[in-house]
Amino acid sequence: MTNKAIRDKLKGKGLKVTPQRIAVFEAASILKNHPSAENIIDYIRKFYPNVATATVYKVLDTFISHNLLRRVETERGVMRYDPITENHHHIYCADSNRIEDYFNEELNNLLIDYFNKKKIPGFHIEDMKLHIIGRFTGNR
Amino acid sequence: MTNKAIRDKLKGKGLKVTPQRIAVFEAASILKNHPSAENIIDYIRKFYPNVATATVYKVLDTFISHNLLRRVETERGVMRYDPITENHHHIYCADSNRIEDYFNEELNNLLIDYFNKKKIPGFHIEDMKLHIIGRFTGNR
DNA sequence: CTATATGCAAATCATTTGCAACCAG
DNA sequence: CTGGTTGCAAATGATTTGCATATAG
């Protein structure tokens, strides 16, 4: 994502454009394994050594609440971030912290159709995410 | 789950049966909203006021590694625990910390069939969990 | 008996808060 | 200008660690 595209994303949400915000969004997009705040901070500091840790956390929170980033659900106490806000699923490696995106329109439709037929009483579904857990076999 | 059943579960895994372990497993089963460690500690202390915080965390880790409990994936930095280790899904309330179990054999089969047809290249699936996110409407 | 589990206090790690200085609009 | 944003340092909260003591098998 270009610098200009990031500026436009921020403006589109009515957010002030700051170098720190651009850097955080850029880092979240470039770092491919659904980075943690720490990953993002380490990456940014290579270029802006004086960015404050707390600033990055505040920027991340701002982005979450404006739907520019999503949090990735994990079983561990470290938050991970996802620059893709459209509905998609995740492939979790059972023996590393690797998490890959899984896009599949057919699967989405299958799930939507299923729950249209078989409703959950007393519950209104807004989103569904499949967690696919397993092991990577060889190189992909 | 009866006290005896818990003892048998522990013995079945070759674990020593201690009052603390029984209490932790009992609490995790009785507390219905996929309790956090803190929830479990608070509950246990009503009956065993001198149980150490660290002991509960150690017991939880032991249970996780022996597959007597599962961790529940969340977007927040607090671990939650699930006494049900068989495959099932979770319903997440979008505006509270409520998480309900969702059992559905038909859905499991639908997913298994789907991924038998449409494999993920370079990945071997071991488990799938659907996160159903939305809002509870009225009482259930 | 002996290895393992517990309790306690201190340590760690991720994240948050408070506040003065700064800067985008 | 001015309110939202940043940097810093200190606070918080959940979880972990180290070690002496206790206890299950």
Side-chain angles (χ1 to χ4, degrees):
Chain A
M1 172 153 317
T2 71
N3 199 290
K4 167 147 192 341
I6 297 174
R7 303 179 78 87
D8 289 345
K9 253 186 187 276
L10 293 172
K11 282 183 192 159
K13 298 286 183 177
L15 292 172
K16 285 190 183 175
V17 177
T18 68
Q20 293 86 340
R21 285 181 174 169
I22 295 176
V24 168
F25 196 87
E26 202 168 35
S29 311
I30 286 169
L31 297 169
K32 282 304 171 200
N33 193 33
H34 300 86
S36 62
E38 200 193 351
N39 297 150
I40 290 171
I41 291 165
D42 289 348
Y43 182 85
I44 291 179
R45 290 246 169 91
K46 289 192 236 159
F47 309 103
Y48 306 88
N50 52 328
V51 180
T53 303
T55 299
V56 173
Y57 279 101
K58 283 171 193 161
V59 169
L60 289 170
D61 285 351
T62 304
F63 287 179
I64 294 292
S65 55
H66 287 80
N67 201 32
L68 292 169
L69 290 181
R70 288 280 176 89
R71 279 198 243 270
V72 178
E73 290 156 318
T74 66
E75 288 185 347
R76 312 255 71 239
V78 186
M79 231 78 96
R80 310 262 303 257
Y81 296 88
D82 192 337
I84 298 171
T85 53
E86 299 85 58
N87 189 31
H88 65 291
H89 308 286
H90 284 128
I91 300 174
Y92 288 74
C93 179
D95 41 39
S96 79
N97 66 0
R98 186 167 166 190
I99 302 173
E100 289 206 2
D101 292 312
Y102 184 72
F103 300 93
N104 187 328
E105 203 54 42
E106 196 185 339
L107 176 62
N108 291 345
N109 291 332
L110 194 74
L111 290 170
I112 290 167
D113 288 350
Y114 182 78
F115 283 101
N116 274 338
K117 280 192 318 216
K118 193 171 184 73
K119 303 219 182 282
I120 302 174
F123 190 78
H124 175 248
I125 297 176
E126 291 172 2
D127 195 11
M128 283 183 276
K129 287 186 200 151
L130 186 65
H131 290 217
I132 305 162
I133 303 117
R135 279 157 227 272
F136 290 101
T137 59
N139 50 326
R140 324 173 67 206
Chain B
M1 172 155 316
T2 69
N3 199 289
K4 168 147 193 340
I6 298 174
R7 304 179 77 88
D8 288 346
K9 255 188 186 274
L10 293 173
K11 282 183 191 161
K13 298 286 184 177
L15 292 172
K16 284 188 184 175
V17 177
T18 68
Q20 292 86 342
R21 286 181 173 167
I22 295 175
V24 168
F25 196 87
E26 202 168 34
S29 310
I30 287 170
L31 297 169
K32 283 304 171 204
N33 193 32
H34 300 87
S36 63
E38 200 194 351
N39 297 150
I40 290 171
I41 291 165
D42 289 348
Y43 182 84
I44 292 179
R45 290 245 170 92
K46 287 192 239 158
F47 309 103
Y48 306 88
N50 52 328
V51 179
T53 302
T55 298
V56 173
Y57 279 101
K58 284 171 193 161
V59 168
L60 288 170
D61 285 351
T62 303
F63 286 178
I64 294 292
S65 54
H66 286 80
N67 200 33
L68 292 170
L69 290 181
R70 288 279 176 87
R71 278 199 244 269
V72 179
E73 291 155 318
T74 66
E75 289 184 347
R76 314 255 68 238
V78 186
M79 231 78 97
R80 310 264 300 258
Y81 297 88
D82 192 337
I84 297 171
T85 54
E86 300 85 58
N87 189 32
H88 65 289
H89 308 285
H90 283 131
I91 299 174
Y92 288 74
C93 179
D95 42 37
S96 79
N97 67 359
R98 185 167 166 189
I99 302 174
E100 288 207 3
D101 293 312
Y102 183 72
F103 299 93
N104 185 328
E105 202 55 42
E106 195 184 341
L107 175 63
N108 291 345
N109 291 333
L110 194 75
L111 290 170
I112 290 167
D113 289 350
Y114 183 78
F115 283 103
N116 274 337
K117 280 193 321 223
K118 194 169 184 74
K119 303 217 181 283
I120 301 175
F123 190 77
H124 175 248
I125 298 175
E126 291 173 359
D127 196 10
M128 283 183 277
K129 287 188 199 148
L130 186 65
H131 290 218
I132 305 161
I133 303 117
R135 278 159 228 273
F136 290 100
T137 58
N139 51 326
R140 323 174 68 211

